[in-house]
Amino acid sequence: MSLTPEMAKRLVDGIKSTHGQEIQAQKIRALFLSCNQNDSGHNGSLCAEHGAIDAIYRVIIEQLSPTQVKQEAFRALGSICFSNDKSSELVVTNSHFKIVKDFIEADPQACYLINIIAANFWESHPLLLDLVPRVLKLIKESESEAQKRWCVQFCGQLAYNKANKEYLLTTGVVNTMIEITSTGNTNLGCCTSSAALACLNDTSTQQSLEKAMTPDIIQILVACFASAVHEQDFPYGSRVYYTDWKIATAMDSLCDIESIRLLLIDNCIFDIIYWALDVSDSIKLKTYCFSILWKLCSETKMIIL
């Protein structure tokens, strides 16, 4: 349900006027549920316009240690930012954003939030890169599967941005993404880790990349691409959605490697490319699809009519 301005104002005013952790958590959860809908960011924008971001930051500041209220607050900020670059900008440029960065180890929802921001607001990346070493440590040591997955996704969002490539190659991201990819575990984010590896491909990483991209992993990645193009979650029922042009970026990079080009062809990549070109209005997606076709056709000596 789309919120009206009056409804958004009531939600935000409820957070501003409430005291007591249990009631605060309920009010913030109500805002989260209202924003966590497939409305292309409409509800989140309305809540942000009525001061939700400052109100939630105030609640976070009042909690000196990890609490249910703080967890709900981080999650609510994530829902406000979801598919919304303007709200993401407001959250990351807020003077209190350092609190989010300080809590990524203590609260998995803080990892969820930085992942959402990295996905929607690429201008935030220079402010987020210093988190990479800590995020990589969390991937290795966290006992929370969700926290691990959000950290993997965070690295993936940074890897899609070519401006971050040089830095990421110096921080150990490649080795960590190889470890996640080798699990074949979609719940841990092996689709994202393999896509990140593809985006970070260069002469120093290609040999490791080829070993990591087994036929099973390529099959998973192609299935993920198909789901993204069809705007479906992957795996089915997971409610995890991948951006079609971002996965296409990874596919395009993989096509630079001869052995992987053949695996992509064996997994019917042409059918997905043709579907994307036929139904999508995304210029970014179509640009990468044409590049993929060019590279694959040079491999197969085909002529596409």
Side-chain angles (χ1 to χ4, degrees):
M1 178 183 70
S2 293
L3 294 177
T4 63
E6 293 76 16
M7 295 165 66
K9 185 176 185 302
R10 282 199 300 271
L11 282 169
V12 177
D13 286 347
I15 295 172
K16 291 179 178 178
S17 62
T18 300
H19 300 281
Q21 289 193 16
E22 185 174 346
I23 298 177
Q24 280 184 331
Q26 291 174 359
K27 296 290 185 180
I28 295 173
R29 191 180 305 118
L31 185 143
F32 162 75
L33 293 172
S34 296
C35 295
N36 191 33
Q37 299 183 37
N38 187 21
D39 64 353
S40 299
H42 168 79
N43 289 355
S45 293
L46 272 182
C47 290
E49 289 173 11
H50 286 281
I53 294 171
D54 284 335
I56 293 172
Y57 267 127
R58 178 181 62 79
V59 173
I60 292 173
I61 293 168
E62 291 173 353
Q63 310 299 314
L64 298 179
S65 59
T67 63
Q68 183 184 2
V69 179
K70 184 166 282 184
Q71 185 177 57
E72 294 288 352
F74 286 139
R75 191 164 66 147
L77 285 177
S79 68
I80 291 173
C81 294
F82 193 83
S83 297
N84 195 318
D85 57 346
K86 181 59 178 177
S87 293
S88 297
E89 180 180 5
L90 291 173
V91 169
V92 80
T93 56
N94 190 288
S95 60
H96 299 300
F97 181 66
K98 183 179 181 298
I99 297 173
V100 178
K101 299 173 76 171
D102 289 344
F103 267 81
I104 63 168
E105 285 88 1
D107 196 325
Q109 293 298 331
C111 297
Y112 165 74
L113 175 55
I114 62 170
N115 170 46
I116 295 297
I117 291 171
N120 289 301
F121 185 52
W122 280 23
E123 287 80 359
S124 70
H125 288 184
L127 300 174
L128 298 174
L129 287 174
D130 65 331
L131 291 175
V132 170
R134 291 164 58 195
V135 165
L136 295 179
K137 187 176 181 182
L138 280 171
I139 293 172
K140 293 178 180 295
E141 299 180 0
S142 175
E143 296 180 359
S144 166
E145 187 175 82
Q147 188 173 38
K148 285 176 178 282
R149 181 175 65 251
W150 288 326
C151 288
V152 171
Q153 290 174 352
F154 173 74
C155 291
Q157 298 301 340
L158 295 180
Y160 293 131
N161 184 350
K162 293 179 181 179
N164 300 327
K165 183 174 181 178
E166 183 176 352
Y167 174 79
L168 294 177
L169 286 174
T170 67
T171 59
V173 168
V174 169
N175 289 337
T176 303
M177 293 301 102
I178 287 174
E179 290 174 10
I180 296 297
T181 299
S182 67
T183 69
N185 187 342
T186 54
N187 291 327
L188 279 180
C190 74
C191 296
T192 301
S193 63
S194 57
L197 280 175
C199 293
L200 297 175
N201 179 40
D202 72 355
T203 54
S204 67
T205 63
Q206 181 169 323
Q207 187 174 4
S208 298
L209 175 64
E210 285 190 79
K211 291 181 179 179
M213 293 295 173
T214 64
D216 287 343
I217 292 298
I218 292 296
Q219 186 178 44
I220 290 172
L221 193 55
V222 171
C224 177
F225 183 38
S227 294
V229 169
H230 287 83
E231 299 181 345
Q232 297 172 346
D233 56 347
F234 185 84
Y236 179 75
S238 66
R239 298 188 65 193
V240 176
Y241 293 84
Y242 292 82
T243 304
D244 50 19
W245 70 263
K246 290 181 179 179
I247 301 298
T249 304
M251 292 294 185
D252 184 47
S253 182
L254 288 176
C255 285
D256 291 331
I257 303 173
E258 180 180 359
S259 61
I260 295 180
R261 287 199 296 269
L262 296 173
L263 287 173
L264 292 172
I265 293 169
D266 288 344
N267 281 277
C268 303
I269 190 70
F270 283 121
D271 292 342
I272 304 170
I273 296 296
Y274 293 148
W275 173 268
L277 290 173
D278 186 43
V279 304
S280 177
D281 295 324
S282 168
I283 299 300
K284 283 185 177 179
L285 175 60
K286 288 187 174 183
T287 299
Y288 284 116
C289 284
F290 280 124
S291 178
I292 293 168
L293 277 179
W294 177 263
K295 294 174 182 178
L296 292 180
C297 291
S298 66
E299 174 66 35
T300 60
K301 307 299 188 292
M302 290 182 177
I303 298 177
I304 306 297
L305 299 177

